Amino acid sequence: MSNIPAELKYATSHEWVRREEDGTFTVGITEHAQGLLGDMVFIDLPDVGDDVEAGEDCAVGESVKAASDIYAPISGEVVAINEELEDSPELVNSDAFGEGWLFRVKATDESELEALLDAAGYAESIED
C-alpha cells in the first residue's frame, strides 16, 4: 500500500496538491505514480511564469521504463519549480511528497480543489 498523506488533495492522474502558507499550491506526483514509473532519469518542468490549466499536461517525467505526462491538478501561474530535480530527478522516487515536489502554482480558481480527491478517495481509485 502506498503512502497517501491525508492533508493533500489528489488527481486521478496521480498528482498531489498541497496548500502552502503563502497561498500558493505545491504540486507533485504520488508515491504510487513514481512506483509505477520506476527510477526517474529526467523531469521536464514548466517554466516559471507559465500558465497551466487543470487537467492539461504541463510536465513530463522520464524514467528507465517510460516517459509520462504530468497534468496540472489546478489552474494558475507557475511561480516556482523544483530546480533540484534538474540534477537529482531521483528525489521524486525517494521523497515524492517532500523534496521530490515538482512546481508551485498561484491558483486562478481555488474552487477547482473541490474536484480533487481526498486521501481515502485516491486510495480507492488506485485499488481499481
Side-chain angles (χ1 to χ4, degrees):
M1 182 66 191
S2 294
N3 175 31
I4 305 173
E7 70 276 10
L8 304 178
K9 298 289 266 181
Y10 300 88
T12 55
S13 53
H14 309 294
E15 293 82 16
W16 57 262
V17 180
R18 177 179 57 231
R19 181 188 301 269
E20 300 297 338
E21 289 183 13
D22 66 0
T24 63
F25 294 87
T26 298
V27 175
I29 64 169
T30 65
E31 191 172 278
H32 177 76
Q34 70 78 23
L36 292 174
L37 287 170
D39 294 337
M40 300 302 289
V41 295
F42 180 74
I43 310 275
D44 183 20
L45 296 172
D47 294 322
V48 171
D50 282 358
D51 288 322
V52 296
E53 293 292 325
E56 291 188 1
D57 60 319
C58 63
V60 177
E62 293 184 23
S63 70
V64 294
K65 292 183 182 178
S68 182
D69 287 335
I70 298 168
Y71 301 90
I74 186 170
S75 301
E77 179 186 349
V78 176
V79 295
I81 60 168
N82 186 350
E83 294 179 3
E84 295 291 317
L85 297 179
E86 191 171 304
D87 294 325
S88 302
E90 68 278 2
L91 288 172
V92 173
N93 298 112
S94 62
D95 193 9
F97 296 113
E99 290 184 18
W101 65 278
L102 302 178
F103 57 93
R104 289 201 174 98
V105 173
K106 181 177 183 198
T108 53
D109 183 1
E110 290 188 22
S111 71
E112 290 176 342
L113 291 168
E114 296 167 20
L116 299 175
L117 302 170
D118 61 12
Y122 180 69
E124 194 173 297
S125 79
I126 61 176
E127 286 174 10
D128 295 340

